[in-house]
Amino acid sequence: MNPTGILLATFILSITGLFAFIWSLRKGLFDPDPAAAKVIFMAGEIGQRDSEAASASSAPAQAADPAELDARERADRSSALPAFVLIGSAVLWLIVASLAGLISSYKLHSPDFLTDYAWLTFGRLRTMHLNAVAYGWAPLGLLGLATWMLPRLLRTTLVGGRLAVLGAGLWNAGLIAGLGALANGTSAGMEWLEIPWQIGILFAVGGMLIGMPMVYTLQQRRVHHLYVSVWYIGAALFWFPVLYIVAKIPGVHFGVEQATMNWWFGHNVLGLFYTPLSIASVYYFLPKVIGRPVQSYNLSLLGFWTLAFFYGQVGAHHLIGGPIPEWLITLSIVQSVMMIIPVVAFSLNQHLTMKGQFGALRTSPTLRFILVGAVMYTLASLQGSLEALRSLNAVTHFTHFTVAHAHLGMYGFVTMVIFGGVYFALPRVLGIDWPRPALIGWHFWLVCGGFAIYLLTLSIGGILQGLILLDPARPFIDSVVVTMPWLVGRSIGGALMTLGHLTFAWHVVLMVARSGILSRTDNASLQAVA
């Protein structure tokens, strides 16, 4: 029998069984589940929109229980210091990554720019940009939000916050050492895994320490039901160490198997680490801002289980045409297409939840960023499913289109969600409102406008590049020349995005300075933020 037929039949049976399993657990798929979906709200909060103002967290809701208000304030204080360290570190790495990425982009169409130093060559600088995003901005920002959300989700204080601070220190030390190694030309030579394993140990240990407070805090939880965001956070904190340790074990992966492992990690770290933490943030912040529980809690569980079930072997579609087993490629394509199920479940749930609430976009920067991120997740995931098909992959493979697609997920989705979460959480962490609200608007339009230019130009240039590469009558240099004007557009978009990042970082610096957190020395003040 045809192996492709066997795989397709297996997955059809599997998805049927998965649906039956979830249906047996949760009846009424599109019906709301008030008991589960309302866990994140105190009495009187439903129906009231929440704002980014620091005072909003302690503002008494209608019929609010004073004990609940006090518990939330204590929960916020317990997570303030580790959340601040993680988010602050993320903002620093965002600027480093942005500058490295912008210079790398400029070098693609002006290769003679900054050629006097080896560490400024494209090969090293672009790798530094990727790792500053992949191990600096994105994970630290998401872990900071997760650390802040957990006590609220579990209605208790964070236990083991100092472990998270220590873990953040080790993680940052590893990233500094790793970027130094890359700048010096020392690399493992695999995308997403360039940092040598001797340094990567710091990520593994630091990540475990950052995750330990969740284990301890779960034991002290004061909620009967674990909200779906806790599911996603817990899964991400479990999956990342497994992925990273397996991928970085020295002396195990060689040749074709090494390439297979490389994309097993490269795609899974996106789908099983960044994505769950981002979805957890959306499922918390979006309902909180509009004051309305998620429409269908059962759909959120469907999205979680199908993400966990289908994502494991998606990455091999990057190796279509390579010397790896055909059944593995087919398995990856099938799983990529199956990812439509969790994506549609998530997207439908967000749309139903937002129905009639879109007016809040005018007043809530958190909601603007979060909603853009949620839409970009839908687009990136559906695009990825289609791009895995052999017919489309033949055009887009080895082109700038793939780079545009990667940024659609990592920037359009993950980064936008982090921005939205930080705008909501940081005022509560520092106890002070954003000092210049106008800068938030500038930040939003700069990054959205810049990213639109970036995505459009790189996608068009990539498709044109792919079509020429498929034409045996055209010399290879034609595929390079055709991309030049589109690469200039990429740099223009990247410059606007970087300007938006600088605006965001400057606003954070102003906020931190006004809060006085860095100058507090008395115990009472320290306890107020720790």
Side-chain angles (χ1 to χ4, degrees):
M1 185 176 179
N2 190 327
T4 302
I6 296 175
L7 288 170
L8 287 174
T10 301
F11 269 86
I12 290 173
L13 290 174
S14 298
I15 190 58
T16 302
L18 183 63
F19 269 115
F21 169 71
I22 295 175
W23 187 266
S24 66
L25 292 178
R26 297 284 177 178
K27 296 180 180 180
L29 189 60
F30 292 95
D31 295 334
D33 185 348
K38 294 180 180 179
V39 169
I40 61 175
F41 296 97
M42 293 190 302
E45 283 190 325
I46 295 177
Q48 295 187 1
R49 291 178 179 174
D50 209 341
S51 72
E52 287 73 18
S55 58
S57 61
S58 58
Q62 294 178 358
D65 185 346
E68 284 188 305
L69 287 171
D70 181 66
R72 175 175 290 180
E73 290 178 2
R74 286 188 285 109
D76 286 350
R77 287 198 302 270
S78 70
S79 63
L81 181 58
F84 171 73
V85 171
L86 288 164
I87 293 173
S89 301
V91 174
L92 175 62
W93 291 119
L94 172 66
I95 300 305
V96 173
S98 301
L99 295 177
L102 182 59
I103 296 173
S104 299
S105 176
Y106 188 77
K107 280 174 166 289
L108 284 174
H109 53 83
S110 299
D112 293 330
F113 180 64
L114 295 179
T115 57
D116 294 336
Y117 300 97
W119 72 275
L120 289 175
T121 55
F122 177 83
R124 298 188 187 181
L125 202 59
R126 188 266 177 188
T127 305
M128 293 167 64
H129 160 70
L130 170 63
N131 282 269
V133 172
Y135 297 103
W137 158 247
L140 292 175
L142 289 171
L143 290 170
L145 293 177
T147 300
W148 181 80
M149 286 189 293
L150 268 176
R152 284 185 158 220
L153 293 167
L154 302 176
R155 297 197 177 186
T156 187
T157 56
L158 185 72
V159 182
R162 292 182 180 180
L163 290 176
V165 174
L166 176 60
L170 291 176
W171 189 291
N172 279 294
L175 188 53
I176 293 171
L179 294 183
L182 297 176
N184 193 47
T186 303
S187 171
M190 294 180 291
E191 192 167 11
W192 291 85
L193 293 167
E194 293 93 346
I195 293 177
W197 69 267
Q198 295 90 339
I199 298 174
I201 293 174
L202 293 174
F203 291 141
V205 176
M208 289 178 183
L209 289 173
I210 294 172
M212 286 304 294
M214 177 180 183
V215 178
Y216 296 137
T217 307
L218 272 171
Q219 298 174 359
Q220 305 296 326
R221 67 185 184 275
R222 297 179 182 175
V223 292
H224 175 70
H225 180 86
L226 294 180
Y227 187 67
V228 67
S229 293
V230 180
W231 291 40
Y232 279 107
I233 293 170
L237 293 179
F238 170 77
W239 282 328
F240 177 77
V242 173
L243 293 170
Y244 192 76
I245 291 173
V246 170
K248 294 298 287 185
I249 294 176
V252 173
H253 311 291
F254 299 98
V256 172
E257 187 273 332
Q258 186 181 51
T260 306
M261 178 281 303
N262 188 184
W263 279 111
W264 169 82
F265 174 83
H267 232 295
N268 280 349
V269 75
L270 174 63
L272 299 180
F273 180 60
Y274 304 123
T275 294
L277 290 176
S278 300
I279 292 178
S281 299
V282 174
Y283 270 122
Y284 179 78
F285 290 113
L286 189 148
K288 280 291 293 179
V289 170
I290 65 176
R292 177 180 180 180
V294 64
Q295 174 66 23
S296 174
Y297 196 74
N298 303 302
L299 271 181
S300 68
L301 297 183
L302 172 66
F304 174 84
W305 284 110
T306 49
L307 174 70
F309 188 77
F310 292 132
Y311 209 95
Q313 296 299 329
V314 165
H317 73 249
H318 283 273
L319 300 170
I320 292 177
I324 65 174
E326 190 71 8
W327 66 264
L328 183 58
I329 295 293
T330 302
L331 173 63
S332 176
I333 294 172
V334 172
Q335 287 199 314
S336 298
V337 174
M338 288 294 187
M339 279 299 298
I340 292 175
I341 296 173
V343 172
V344 170
F346 171 81
S347 304
L348 180 61
N349 213 1
Q350 304 314 309
H351 174 75
L352 292 174
T353 303
M354 281 295 300
K355 188 176 181 180
Q357 303 291 326
F358 287 95
L361 291 169
R362 293 192 298 268
T363 58
S364 174
T366 292
L367 194 59
R368 285 198 292 271
F369 280 103
I370 290 287
L371 198 60
V372 168
V375 171
M376 292 300 105
Y377 172 64
T378 304
L379 295 177
S381 299
L382 295 179
Q383 185 187 74
S385 296
L386 294 175
E387 195 177 350
L389 301 176
R390 287 183 174 89
S391 56
L392 294 178
N393 191 274
V395 177
T396 61
H397 206 34
F398 300 124
T399 71
H400 293 294
F401 185 91
T402 303
V403 180
H405 168 66
H407 282 76
L408 184 59
M410 197 66 177
Y411 191 90
F413 171 43
V414 174
T415 292
M416 289 295 186
V417 168
I418 297 175
F419 284 146
V422 169
Y423 277 123
F424 189 92
L426 202 56
R428 291 157 172 81
V429 169
L430 298 177
I432 183 175
D433 293 338
W434 290 98
R436 298 185 182 178
L439 290 180
I440 301 177
W442 278 103
H443 173 213
F444 178 79
W445 291 113
L446 282 170
V447 296
C448 285
F451 183 61
I453 295 172
Y454 182 101
L455 185 66
L456 184 64
T457 55
L458 211 55
S459 297
I460 295 174
I463 292 174
L464 295 175
Q465 179 188 17
L467 292 174
I468 292 177
L469 286 173
L470 290 176
D471 187 352
R474 303 285 295 273
F476 176 78
I477 191 63
D478 286 358
S479 69
V480 178
V481 173
V482 75
T483 63
M484 285 299 108
W486 306 105
L487 292 177
V488 173
R490 166 186 176 159
S491 293
I492 293 173
L496 291 174
M497 292 157 64
T498 300
L499 185 58
H501 301 164
L502 291 171
T503 301
F504 169 67
W506 175 242
H507 204 182
V508 172
V509 170
L510 289 177
M511 191 178 189
V512 172
R514 291 195 179 189
S515 72
I517 186 174
L518 299 180
S519 61
R520 295 176 186 173
T521 57
D522 60 289
N523 292 333
S525 297
L526 287 174
Q527 289 175 359
V529 296

